[in-house]
PDB file of all heavy atoms in Angstrom:
ATOM      1  N   LEU A   1      25.405 -56.853   9.830  1.00  0.00           N
ATOM      2  CA  LEU A   1      25.791 -58.194   9.501  1.00  0.00           C
ATOM      3  C   LEU A   1      24.769 -59.002   8.690  1.00  0.00           C
ATOM      4  O   LEU A   1      25.079 -59.835   7.946  1.00  0.00           O
ATOM      5  CB  LEU A   1      26.200 -58.974  10.764  1.00  0.00           C
ATOM      6  CG  LEU A   1      27.402 -58.520  11.480  1.00  0.00           C
ATOM      7  CD1 LEU A   1      27.709 -59.283  12.788  1.00  0.00           C
ATOM      8  CD2 LEU A   1      28.730 -58.639  10.542  1.00  0.00           C
ATOM      9  N   SER A   2      23.461 -58.667   8.984  1.00  0.00           N
ATOM     10  CA  SER A   2      22.417 -59.411   8.290  1.00  0.00           C
ATOM     11  C   SER A   2      21.856 -58.658   7.099  1.00  0.00           C
ATOM     12  O   SER A   2      21.027 -59.202   6.372  1.00  0.00           O
ATOM     13  CB  SER A   2      21.279 -59.659   9.299  1.00  0.00           C
ATOM     14  OG  SER A   2      20.803 -58.384   9.932  1.00  0.00           O
ATOM     15  N   ASN A   3      22.280 -57.456   6.845  1.00  0.00           N
ATOM     16  CA  ASN A   3      21.918 -56.648   5.747  1.00  0.00           C
ATOM     17  C   ASN A   3      23.114 -56.117   4.958  1.00  0.00           C
ATOM     18  O   ASN A   3      24.236 -56.096   5.559  1.00  0.00           O
ATOM     19  CB  ASN A   3      21.005 -55.456   6.162  1.00  0.00           C
ATOM     20  CG  ASN A   3      19.702 -55.947   6.753  1.00  0.00           C
ATOM     21  OD1 ASN A   3      18.745 -56.104   6.002  1.00  0.00           O
ATOM     22  ND2 ASN A   3      19.666 -56.113   8.073  1.00  0.00           N
ATOM     23  N   LYS A   4      22.925 -55.780   3.748  1.00  0.00           N
ATOM     24  CA  LYS A   4      24.021 -55.246   2.931  1.00  0.00           C
ATOM     25  C   LYS A   4      24.272 -53.848   3.153  1.00  0.00           C
ATOM     26  O   LYS A   4      23.751 -52.940   2.516  1.00  0.00           O
ATOM     27  CB  LYS A   4      23.676 -55.518   1.456  1.00  0.00           C
ATOM     28  CG  LYS A   4      24.814 -55.191   0.567  1.00  0.00           C
ATOM     29  CD  LYS A   4      24.423 -55.380  -0.900  1.00  0.00           C
ATOM     30  CE  LYS A   4      25.594 -54.950  -1.947  1.00  0.00           C
ATOM     31  NZ  LYS A   4      25.074 -55.096  -3.296  1.00  0.00           N
ATOM     32  N   VAL A   5      25.068 -53.514   4.155  1.00  0.00           N
ATOM     33  CA  VAL A   5      25.451 -52.078   4.602  1.00  0.00           C
ATOM     34  C   VAL A   5      26.840 -51.797   4.109  1.00  0.00           C
ATOM     35  O   VAL A   5      27.761 -52.545   4.449  1.00  0.00           O
ATOM     36  CB  VAL A   5      25.283 -51.883   6.035  1.00  0.00           C
ATOM     37  CG1 VAL A   5      25.708 -50.493   6.382  1.00  0.00           C
ATOM     38  CG2 VAL A   5      23.696 -52.094   6.475  1.00  0.00           C
ATOM     39  N   ASP A   6      26.955 -50.806   3.319  1.00  0.00           N
ATOM     40  CA  ASP A   6      28.305 -50.402   2.762  1.00  0.00           C
ATOM     41  C   ASP A   6      28.992 -49.347   3.597  1.00  0.00           C
ATOM     42  O   ASP A   6      30.187 -49.330   3.720  1.00  0.00           O
ATOM     43  CB  ASP A   6      28.130 -49.839   1.329  1.00  0.00           C
ATOM     44  CG  ASP A   6      27.578 -50.987   0.434  1.00  0.00           C
ATOM     45  OD1 ASP A   6      28.231 -52.123   0.424  1.00  0.00           O
ATOM     46  OD2 ASP A   6      26.584 -50.787  -0.223  1.00  0.00           O
ATOM     47  N   GLU A   7      28.215 -48.416   4.170  1.00  0.00           N
ATOM     48  CA  GLU A   7      28.734 -47.275   4.848  1.00  0.00           C
ATOM     49  C   GLU A   7      27.920 -46.841   6.070  1.00  0.00           C
ATOM     50  O   GLU A   7      26.695 -46.940   6.039  1.00  0.00           O
ATOM     51  CB  GLU A   7      28.887 -46.051   3.908  1.00  0.00           C
ATOM     52  CG  GLU A   7      29.875 -46.229   2.676  1.00  0.00           C
ATOM     53  CD  GLU A   7      30.120 -44.955   1.911  1.00  0.00           C
ATOM     54  OE1 GLU A   7      29.623 -43.871   2.380  1.00  0.00           O
ATOM     55  OE2 GLU A   7      30.786 -45.039   0.992  1.00  0.00           O
ATOM     56  N   ILE A   8      28.701 -46.457   7.167  1.00  0.00           N
ATOM     57  CA  ILE A   8      27.988 -45.924   8.307  1.00  0.00           C
ATOM     58  C   ILE A   8      28.386 -44.514   8.434  1.00  0.00           C
ATOM     59  O   ILE A   8      29.600 -44.124   8.539  1.00  0.00           O
ATOM     60  CB  ILE A   8      28.453 -46.759   9.539  1.00  0.00           C
ATOM     61  CG1 ILE A   8      28.010 -48.181   9.461  1.00  0.00           C
ATOM     62  CG2 ILE A   8      27.907 -46.110  10.874  1.00  0.00           C
ATOM     63  CD1 ILE A   8      28.632 -49.057  10.601  1.00  0.00           C
ATOM     64  N   PHE A   9      27.431 -43.641   8.559  1.00  0.00           N
ATOM     65  CA  PHE A   9      27.716 -42.204   8.835  1.00  0.00           C
ATOM     66  C   PHE A   9      27.377 -41.866  10.264  1.00  0.00           C
ATOM     67  O   PHE A   9      26.261 -42.134  10.714  1.00  0.00           O
ATOM     68  CB  PHE A   9      26.766 -41.350   7.908  1.00  0.00           C
ATOM     69  CG  PHE A   9      27.226 -41.276   6.453  1.00  0.00           C
ATOM     70  CD1 PHE A   9      26.877 -42.339   5.587  1.00  0.00           C
ATOM     71  CD2 PHE A   9      28.022 -40.172   6.012  1.00  0.00           C
ATOM     72  CE1 PHE A   9      27.354 -42.242   4.245  1.00  0.00           C
ATOM     73  CE2 PHE A   9      28.393 -40.197   4.695  1.00  0.00           C
ATOM     74  CZ  PHE A   9      28.107 -41.168   3.789  1.00  0.00           C
ATOM     75  N   CYS A  10      28.414 -41.429  10.917  1.00  0.00           N
ATOM     76  CA  CYS A  10      28.217 -41.235  12.445  1.00  0.00           C
ATOM     77  C   CYS A  10      28.036 -39.757  12.737  1.00  0.00           C
ATOM     78  O   CYS A  10      28.882 -38.965  12.365  1.00  0.00           O
ATOM     79  CB  CYS A  10      29.400 -41.828  13.123  1.00  0.00           C
ATOM     80  SG  CYS A  10      29.373 -41.581  14.976  1.00  0.00           S
ATOM     81  N   THR A  11      26.914 -39.407  13.371  1.00  0.00           N
ATOM     82  CA  THR A  11      26.666 -37.969  13.788  1.00  0.00           C
ATOM     83  C   THR A  11      26.687 -37.860  15.298  1.00  0.00           C
ATOM     84  O   THR A  11      26.162 -36.867  15.750  1.00  0.00           O
ATOM     85  CB  THR A  11      25.408 -37.507  13.133  1.00  0.00           C
ATOM     86  OG1 THR A  11      24.266 -38.198  13.727  1.00  0.00           O
ATOM     87  CG2 THR A  11      25.413 -37.542  11.666  1.00  0.00           C
ATOM     88  N   LEU A  12      27.143 -38.844  16.051  1.00  0.00           N
ATOM     89  CA  LEU A  12      27.133 -38.858  17.446  1.00  0.00           C
ATOM     90  C   LEU A  12      28.071 -37.758  17.970  1.00  0.00           C
ATOM     91  O   LEU A  12      29.122 -37.489  17.384  1.00  0.00           O
ATOM     92  CB  LEU A  12      27.594 -40.229  18.038  1.00  0.00           C
ATOM     93  CG  LEU A  12      26.659 -41.365  17.791  1.00  0.00           C
ATOM     94  CD1 LEU A  12      27.293 -42.591  18.446  1.00  0.00           C
ATOM     95  CD2 LEU A  12      25.274 -41.154  18.432  1.00  0.00           C
ATOM     96  N   PRO A  13      27.776 -37.099  19.096  1.00  0.00           N
ATOM     97  CA  PRO A  13      28.634 -36.000  19.628  1.00  0.00           C
ATOM     98  C   PRO A  13      29.939 -36.747  20.144  1.00  0.00           C
ATOM     99  O   PRO A  13      29.934 -37.912  20.564  1.00  0.00           O
ATOM    100  CB  PRO A  13      27.801 -35.432  20.743  1.00  0.00           C
ATOM    101  CG  PRO A  13      26.861 -36.464  21.109  1.00  0.00           C
ATOM    102  CD  PRO A  13      26.520 -37.169  19.852  1.00  0.00           C
ATOM    103  N   MET A  14      31.029 -35.989  20.200  1.00  0.00           N
ATOM    104  CA  MET A  14      32.292 -36.582  20.615  1.00  0.00           C
ATOM    105  C   MET A  14      32.310 -36.922  22.106  1.00  0.00           C
ATOM    106  O   MET A  14      33.193 -37.686  22.484  1.00  0.00           O
ATOM    107  CB  MET A  14      33.409 -35.532  20.422  1.00  0.00           C
ATOM    108  CG  MET A  14      33.731 -35.247  18.879  1.00  0.00           C
ATOM    109  SD  MET A  14      33.956 -36.750  17.888  1.00  0.00           S
ATOM    110  CE  MET A  14      35.444 -37.422  18.715  1.00  0.00           C
ATOM    111  N   ALA A  15      31.297 -36.523  22.749  1.00  0.00           N
ATOM    112  CA  ALA A  15      31.186 -36.984  24.198  1.00  0.00           C
ATOM    113  C   ALA A  15      30.881 -38.559  24.181  1.00  0.00           C
ATOM    114  O   ALA A  15      31.175 -39.210  25.195  1.00  0.00           O
ATOM    115  CB  ALA A  15      29.964 -36.253  24.895  1.00  0.00           C
ATOM    116  N   GLU A  16      30.405 -39.084  23.099  1.00  0.00           N
ATOM    117  CA  GLU A  16      30.122 -40.578  22.958  1.00  0.00           C
ATOM    118  C   GLU A  16      31.347 -41.244  22.372  1.00  0.00           C
ATOM    119  O   GLU A  16      31.143 -42.142  21.590  1.00  0.00           O
ATOM    120  CB  GLU A  16      28.894 -40.713  22.072  1.00  0.00           C
ATOM    121  CG  GLU A  16      27.656 -39.851  22.551  1.00  0.00           C
ATOM    122  CD  GLU A  16      26.713 -40.788  23.350  1.00  0.00           C
ATOM    123  OE1 GLU A  16      27.165 -41.904  23.781  1.00  0.00           O
ATOM    124  OE2 GLU A  16      25.566 -40.412  23.415  1.00  0.00           O
ATOM    125  N   VAL A  17      32.510 -40.839  22.699  1.00  0.00           N
ATOM    126  CA  VAL A  17      33.751 -41.369  22.041  1.00  0.00           C
ATOM    127  C   VAL A  17      33.826 -42.785  22.133  1.00  0.00           C
ATOM    128  O   VAL A  17      34.401 -43.450  21.282  1.00  0.00           O
ATOM    129  CB  VAL A  17      34.975 -40.577  22.596  1.00  0.00           C
ATOM    130  CG1 VAL A  17      35.140 -40.882  24.084  1.00  0.00           C
ATOM    131  CG2 VAL A  17      36.204 -40.940  21.829  1.00  0.00           C
ATOM    132  N   ASP A  18      33.473 -43.379  23.307  1.00  0.00           N
ATOM    133  CA  ASP A  18      33.630 -44.871  23.519  1.00  0.00           C
ATOM    134  C   ASP A  18      32.666 -45.609  22.474  1.00  0.00           C
ATOM    135  O   ASP A  18      33.164 -46.624  21.824  1.00  0.00           O
ATOM    136  CB  ASP A  18      33.216 -45.301  24.871  1.00  0.00           C
ATOM    137  CG  ASP A  18      34.256 -44.764  25.945  1.00  0.00           C
ATOM    138  OD1 ASP A  18      35.416 -44.489  25.505  1.00  0.00           O
ATOM    139  OD2 ASP A  18      33.925 -44.684  27.137  1.00  0.00           O
ATOM    140  N   LYS A  19      31.503 -45.122  22.314  1.00  0.00           N
ATOM    141  CA  LYS A  19      30.627 -45.704  21.295  1.00  0.00           C
ATOM    142  C   LYS A  19      31.138 -45.565  19.835  1.00  0.00           C
ATOM    143  O   LYS A  19      31.002 -46.463  19.024  1.00  0.00           O
ATOM    144  CB  LYS A  19      29.231 -45.170  21.445  1.00  0.00           C
ATOM    145  CG  LYS A  19      28.437 -45.515  22.678  1.00  0.00           C
ATOM    146  CD  LYS A  19      27.003 -44.941  22.664  1.00  0.00           C
ATOM    147  CE  LYS A  19      26.319 -45.314  23.937  1.00  0.00           C
ATOM    148  NZ  LYS A  19      25.011 -44.641  24.009  1.00  0.00           N
ATOM    149  N   ILE A  20      31.651 -44.287  19.676  1.00  0.00           N
ATOM    150  CA  ILE A  20      32.191 -44.030  18.279  1.00  0.00           C
ATOM    151  C   ILE A  20      33.332 -45.000  17.996  1.00  0.00           C
ATOM    152  O   ILE A  20      33.466 -45.653  16.903  1.00  0.00           O
ATOM    153  CB  ILE A  20      32.646 -42.599  18.100  1.00  0.00           C
ATOM    154  CG1 ILE A  20      31.500 -41.653  18.260  1.00  0.00           C
ATOM    155  CG2 ILE A  20      33.494 -42.380  16.815  1.00  0.00           C
ATOM    156  CD1 ILE A  20      31.859 -40.220  18.284  1.00  0.00           C
ATOM    157  N   ASN A  21      34.250 -45.219  18.923  1.00  0.00           N
ATOM    158  CA  ASN A  21      35.470 -46.076  18.703  1.00  0.00           C
ATOM    159  C   ASN A  21      34.979 -47.493  18.549  1.00  0.00           C
ATOM    160  O   ASN A  21      35.566 -48.249  17.609  1.00  0.00           O
ATOM    161  CB  ASN A  21      36.406 -45.986  19.939  1.00  0.00           C
ATOM    162  CG  ASN A  21      37.342 -44.800  19.787  1.00  0.00           C
ATOM    163  OD1 ASN A  21      37.573 -44.320  18.786  1.00  0.00           O
ATOM    164  ND2 ASN A  21      37.837 -44.326  20.980  1.00  0.00           N
ATOM    165  N   ASP A  22      33.978 -47.904  19.294  1.00  0.00           N
ATOM    166  CA  ASP A  22      33.508 -49.309  19.228  1.00  0.00           C
ATOM    167  C   ASP A  22      32.861 -49.597  17.872  1.00  0.00           C
ATOM    168  O   ASP A  22      33.242 -50.601  17.214  1.00  0.00           O
ATOM    169  CB  ASP A  22      32.389 -49.547  20.304  1.00  0.00           C
ATOM    170  CG  ASP A  22      31.926 -50.933  20.320  1.00  0.00           C
ATOM    171  OD1 ASP A  22      32.764 -51.899  20.230  1.00  0.00           O
ATOM    172  OD2 ASP A  22      30.681 -51.113  20.280  1.00  0.00           O
ATOM    173  N   ILE A  23      32.017 -48.654  17.411  1.00  0.00           N
ATOM    174  CA  ILE A  23      31.429 -48.847  16.028  1.00  0.00           C
ATOM    175  C   ILE A  23      32.437 -48.720  14.949  1.00  0.00           C
ATOM    176  O   ILE A  23      32.440 -49.455  13.926  1.00  0.00           O
ATOM    177  CB  ILE A  23      30.274 -47.818  15.801  1.00  0.00           C
ATOM    178  CG1 ILE A  23      29.168 -48.143  16.854  1.00  0.00           C
ATOM    179  CG2 ILE A  23      29.697 -48.025  14.352  1.00  0.00           C
ATOM    180  CD1 ILE A  23      28.520 -49.457  16.851  1.00  0.00           C
ATOM    181  N   MET A  24      33.425 -47.851  15.094  1.00  0.00           N
ATOM    182  CA  MET A  24      34.471 -47.634  14.097  1.00  0.00           C
ATOM    183  C   MET A  24      35.385 -48.918  13.986  1.00  0.00           C
ATOM    184  O   MET A  24      35.658 -49.393  12.873  1.00  0.00           O
ATOM    185  CB  MET A  24      35.323 -46.477  14.476  1.00  0.00           C
ATOM    186  CG  MET A  24      36.170 -45.904  13.313  1.00  0.00           C
ATOM    187  SD  MET A  24      37.163 -44.490  13.749  1.00  0.00           S
ATOM    188  CE  MET A  24      35.946 -43.340  14.306  1.00  0.00           C
ATOM    189  N   ASP A  25      35.655 -49.542  15.178  1.00  0.00           N
ATOM    190  CA  ASP A  25      36.340 -50.856  15.147  1.00  0.00           C
ATOM    191  C   ASP A  25      35.529 -51.852  14.373  1.00  0.00           C
ATOM    192  O   ASP A  25      36.087 -52.610  13.485  1.00  0.00           O
ATOM    193  CB  ASP A  25      36.619 -51.318  16.505  1.00  0.00           C
ATOM    194  CG  ASP A  25      37.758 -50.598  17.235  1.00  0.00           C
ATOM    195  OD1 ASP A  25      38.530 -49.847  16.590  1.00  0.00           O
ATOM    196  OD2 ASP A  25      37.798 -50.706  18.395  1.00  0.00           O
ATOM    197  N   PHE A  26      34.298 -51.974  14.665  1.00  0.00           N
ATOM    198  CA  PHE A  26      33.436 -52.937  14.039  1.00  0.00           C
ATOM    199  C   PHE A  26      33.376 -52.799  12.496  1.00  0.00           C
ATOM    200  O   PHE A  26      33.445 -53.712  11.768  1.00  0.00           O
ATOM    201  CB  PHE A  26      32.030 -52.768  14.600  1.00  0.00           C
ATOM    202  CG  PHE A  26      30.996 -53.539  13.786  1.00  0.00           C
ATOM    203  CD1 PHE A  26      30.788 -54.906  13.962  1.00  0.00           C
ATOM    204  CD2 PHE A  26      30.152 -52.896  12.912  1.00  0.00           C
ATOM    205  CE1 PHE A  26      29.862 -55.548  13.084  1.00  0.00           C
ATOM    206  CE2 PHE A  26      29.230 -53.491  12.104  1.00  0.00           C
ATOM    207  CZ  PHE A  26      29.048 -54.843  12.198  1.00  0.00           C
ATOM    208  N   ALA A  27      33.240 -51.557  12.126  1.00  0.00           N
ATOM    209  CA  ALA A  27      33.131 -51.188  10.739  1.00  0.00           C
ATOM    210  C   ALA A  27      34.489 -51.555   9.994  1.00  0.00           C
ATOM    211  O   ALA A  27      34.436 -52.196   8.862  1.00  0.00           O
ATOM    212  CB  ALA A  27      32.938 -49.725  10.461  1.00  0.00           C
ATOM    213  N   ASP A  28      35.578 -51.206  10.531  1.00  0.00           N
ATOM    214  CA  ASP A  28      36.868 -51.604   9.916  1.00  0.00           C
ATOM    215  C   ASP A  28      37.081 -53.122   9.805  1.00  0.00           C
ATOM    216  O   ASP A  28      37.591 -53.657   8.822  1.00  0.00           O
ATOM    217  CB  ASP A  28      38.011 -50.972  10.783  1.00  0.00           C
ATOM    218  CG  ASP A  28      38.251 -49.546  10.539  1.00  0.00           C
ATOM    219  OD1 ASP A  28      37.693 -49.048   9.564  1.00  0.00           O
ATOM    220  OD2 ASP A  28      38.981 -48.890  11.314  1.00  0.00           O
ATOM    221  N   ASN A  29      36.625 -53.847  10.867  1.00  0.00           N
ATOM    222  CA  ASN A  29      36.815 -55.249  10.843  1.00  0.00           C
ATOM    223  C   ASN A  29      35.830 -56.017   9.941  1.00  0.00           C
ATOM    224  O   ASN A  29      35.959 -57.317   9.807  1.00  0.00           O
ATOM    225  CB  ASN A  29      36.688 -55.750  12.272  1.00  0.00           C
ATOM    226  CG  ASN A  29      37.908 -55.307  13.130  1.00  0.00           C
ATOM    227  OD1 ASN A  29      39.001 -55.159  12.624  1.00  0.00           O
ATOM    228  ND2 ASN A  29      37.634 -54.986  14.401  1.00  0.00           N
ATOM    229  N   HIS A  30      34.839 -55.283   9.451  1.00  0.00           N
ATOM    230  CA  HIS A  30      33.905 -55.893   8.564  1.00  0.00           C
ATOM    231  C   HIS A  30      33.757 -55.263   7.179  1.00  0.00           C
ATOM    232  O   HIS A  30      32.814 -55.336   6.454  1.00  0.00           O
ATOM    233  CB  HIS A  30      32.554 -55.976   9.159  1.00  0.00           C
ATOM    234  CG  HIS A  30      32.502 -56.867  10.384  1.00  0.00           C
ATOM    235  ND1 HIS A  30      32.789 -56.472  11.633  1.00  0.00           N
ATOM    236  CD2 HIS A  30      32.158 -58.230  10.526  1.00  0.00           C
ATOM    237  CE1 HIS A  30      32.740 -57.479  12.496  1.00  0.00           C
ATOM    238  NE2 HIS A  30      32.276 -58.543  11.800  1.00  0.00           N
ATOM    239  N   LEU A  31      34.888 -54.547   6.815  1.00  0.00           N
ATOM    240  CA  LEU A  31      34.949 -53.906   5.557  1.00  0.00           C
ATOM    241  C   LEU A  31      33.800 -52.959   5.218  1.00  0.00           C
ATOM    242  O   LEU A  31      33.321 -52.943   4.138  1.00  0.00           O
ATOM    243  CB  LEU A  31      35.125 -54.990   4.457  1.00  0.00           C
ATOM    244  CG  LEU A  31      36.348 -55.845   4.543  1.00  0.00           C
ATOM    245  CD1 LEU A  31      36.376 -56.812   3.415  1.00  0.00           C
ATOM    246  CD2 LEU A  31      37.662 -55.013   4.615  1.00  0.00           C
ATOM    247  N   ILE A  32      33.411 -52.217   6.217  1.00  0.00           N
ATOM    248  CA  ILE A  32      32.301 -51.201   6.076  1.00  0.00           C
ATOM    249  C   ILE A  32      32.968 -49.838   6.202  1.00  0.00           C
ATOM    250  O   ILE A  32      33.728 -49.670   7.204  1.00  0.00           O
ATOM    251  CB  ILE A  32      31.245 -51.370   7.157  1.00  0.00           C
ATOM    252  CG1 ILE A  32      30.557 -52.739   6.977  1.00  0.00           C
ATOM    253  CG2 ILE A  32      30.152 -50.300   6.951  1.00  0.00           C
ATOM    254  CD1 ILE A  32      29.524 -53.142   8.031  1.00  0.00           C
ATOM    255  N   ARG A  33      32.738 -48.914   5.301  1.00  0.00           N
ATOM    256  CA  ARG A  33      33.287 -47.590   5.339  1.00  0.00           C
ATOM    257  C   ARG A  33      32.665 -46.862   6.551  1.00  0.00           C
ATOM    258  O   ARG A  33      31.359 -46.907   6.731  1.00  0.00           O
ATOM    259  CB  ARG A  33      33.020 -46.781   4.075  1.00  0.00           C
ATOM    260  CG  ARG A  33      33.612 -47.491   2.829  1.00  0.00           C
ATOM    261  CD  ARG A  33      35.091 -47.522   2.807  1.00  0.00           C
ATOM    262  NE  ARG A  33      35.566 -48.090   1.584  1.00  0.00           N
ATOM    263  CZ  ARG A  33      36.875 -48.282   1.259  1.00  0.00           C
ATOM    264  NH1 ARG A  33      37.752 -48.031   2.174  1.00  0.00           N
ATOM    265  NH2 ARG A  33      37.222 -48.811   0.096  1.00  0.00           N
ATOM    266  N   PHE A  34      33.498 -46.095   7.324  1.00  0.00           N
ATOM    267  CA  PHE A  34      32.959 -45.370   8.453  1.00  0.00           C
ATOM    268  C   PHE A  34      33.188 -43.812   8.184  1.00  0.00           C
ATOM    269  O   PHE A  34      34.434 -43.497   7.933  1.00  0.00           O
ATOM    270  CB  PHE A  34      33.616 -45.788   9.729  1.00  0.00           C
ATOM    271  CG  PHE A  34      33.055 -45.163  10.987  1.00  0.00           C
ATOM    272  CD1 PHE A  34      32.002 -45.781  11.656  1.00  0.00           C
ATOM    273  CD2 PHE A  34      33.493 -43.935  11.416  1.00  0.00           C
ATOM    274  CE1 PHE A  34      31.466 -45.232  12.787  1.00  0.00           C
ATOM    275  CE2 PHE A  34      32.971 -43.397  12.610  1.00  0.00           C
ATOM    276  CZ  PHE A  34      31.881 -44.002  13.299  1.00  0.00           C
ATOM    277  N   ARG A  35      32.104 -43.042   8.250  1.00  0.00           N
ATOM    278  CA  ARG A  35      32.328 -41.684   7.913  1.00  0.00           C
ATOM    279  C   ARG A  35      31.822 -40.849   9.195  1.00  0.00           C
ATOM    280  O   ARG A  35      30.753 -41.063   9.693  1.00  0.00           O
ATOM    281  CB  ARG A  35      31.441 -41.177   6.855  1.00  0.00           C
ATOM    282  CG  ARG A  35      31.397 -42.071   5.637  1.00  0.00           C
ATOM    283  CD  ARG A  35      32.695 -42.054   4.847  1.00  0.00           C
ATOM    284  NE  ARG A  35      32.644 -42.734   3.706  1.00  0.00           N
ATOM    285  CZ  ARG A  35      33.770 -43.050   2.943  1.00  0.00           C
ATOM    286  NH1 ARG A  35      34.933 -42.657   3.346  1.00  0.00           N
ATOM    287  NH2 ARG A  35      33.617 -43.729   1.814  1.00  0.00           N
ATOM    288  N   LEU A  36      32.785 -40.001   9.725  1.00  0.00           N
ATOM    289  CA  LEU A  36      32.478 -39.291  10.919  1.00  0.00           C
ATOM    290  C   LEU A  36      32.053 -37.868  10.623  1.00  0.00           C
ATOM    291  O   LEU A  36      32.830 -37.149   9.892  1.00  0.00           O
ATOM    292  CB  LEU A  36      33.783 -39.311  11.844  1.00  0.00           C
ATOM    293  CG  LEU A  36      33.554 -38.652  13.158  1.00  0.00           C
ATOM    294  CD1 LEU A  36      32.508 -39.423  14.069  1.00  0.00           C
ATOM    295  CD2 LEU A  36      34.916 -38.662  14.004  1.00  0.00           C
ATOM    296  N   ILE A  37      30.918 -37.426  10.932  1.00  0.00           N
ATOM    297  CA  ILE A  37      30.399 -36.106  10.605  1.00  0.00           C
ATOM    298  C   ILE A  37      30.449 -35.248  11.898  1.00  0.00           C
ATOM    299  O   ILE A  37      29.748 -35.475  12.878  1.00  0.00           O
ATOM    300  CB  ILE A  37      28.933 -36.227  10.149  1.00  0.00           C
ATOM    301  CG1 ILE A  37      28.751 -37.369   9.114  1.00  0.00           C
ATOM    302  CG2 ILE A  37      28.468 -34.879   9.592  1.00  0.00           C
ATOM    303  CD1 ILE A  37      29.473 -37.170   7.834  1.00  0.00           C
ATOM    304  N   PRO A  38      31.400 -34.265  11.875  1.00  0.00           N
ATOM    305  CA  PRO A  38      31.484 -33.391  13.095  1.00  0.00           C
ATOM    306  C   PRO A  38      30.268 -32.459  13.194  1.00  0.00           C
ATOM    307  O   PRO A  38      29.686 -31.979  12.219  1.00  0.00           O
ATOM    308  CB  PRO A  38      32.804 -32.709  12.821  1.00  0.00           C
ATOM    309  CG  PRO A  38      32.952 -32.584  11.307  1.00  0.00           C
ATOM    310  CD  PRO A  38      32.276 -33.879  10.818  1.00  0.00           C
ATOM    311  N   GLU A  39      30.086 -32.033  14.469  1.00  0.00           N
ATOM    312  CA  GLU A  39      28.921 -31.187  14.790  1.00  0.00           C
ATOM    313  C   GLU A  39      29.491 -29.763  14.938  1.00  0.00           C
ATOM    314  O   GLU A  39      30.403 -29.513  15.823  1.00  0.00           O
ATOM    315  CB  GLU A  39      28.198 -31.575  16.015  1.00  0.00           C
ATOM    316  CG  GLU A  39      27.215 -30.657  16.574  1.00  0.00           C
ATOM    317  CD  GLU A  39      26.075 -30.405  15.574  1.00  0.00           C
ATOM    318  OE1 GLU A  39      25.129 -31.373  15.529  1.00  0.00           O
ATOM    319  OE2 GLU A  39      26.007 -29.358  14.933  1.00  0.00           O
ATOM    320  N   PHE A  40      29.050 -28.875  14.100  1.00  0.00           N
ATOM    321  CA  PHE A  40      29.559 -27.456  14.229  1.00  0.00           C
ATOM    322  C   PHE A  40      28.409 -26.475  14.630  1.00  0.00           C
ATOM    323  O   PHE A  40      28.530 -25.305  14.566  1.00  0.00           O
ATOM    324  CB  PHE A  40      30.175 -26.993  12.955  1.00  0.00           C
ATOM    325  CG  PHE A  40      31.393 -27.724  12.544  1.00  0.00           C
ATOM    326  CD1 PHE A  40      31.446 -28.495  11.460  1.00  0.00           C
ATOM    327  CD2 PHE A  40      32.534 -27.704  13.395  1.00  0.00           C
ATOM    328  CE1 PHE A  40      32.606 -29.319  11.103  1.00  0.00           C
ATOM    329  CE2 PHE A  40      33.650 -28.428  13.077  1.00  0.00           C
ATOM    330  CZ  PHE A  40      33.705 -29.141  11.937  1.00  0.00           C
TER     331      PHE A  40
END
């Protein structure tokens, strides 16, 4: 919110699903692109 951030790349494991959902909600509501990177 205080810096010019255009995209968030998330590499958190899916075990952190609550945090992922929370940050994804935040990104959508502030017009920030959210990219989810799966761990293989």
Side-chain angles (χ1 to χ4, degrees):
L1 291 175
S2 58
N3 293 272
K4 186 183 178 182
V5 174
D6 298 306
E7 297 189 3
I8 299 171
F9 285 81
C10 178
T11 64
L12 293 177
M14 291 310 298
E16 306 261 18
V17 64
D18 291 337
K19 288 180 182 177
I20 293 173
N21 277 339
D22 181 50
I23 299 298
M24 199 180 298
D25 285 344
F26 166 79
D28 282 348
N29 293 324
H30 293 85
L31 299 180
I32 299 172
R33 304 290 184 187
F34 188 90
R35 315 292 187 190
L36 187 61
I37 314 297
E39 172 64 77
F40 295 115

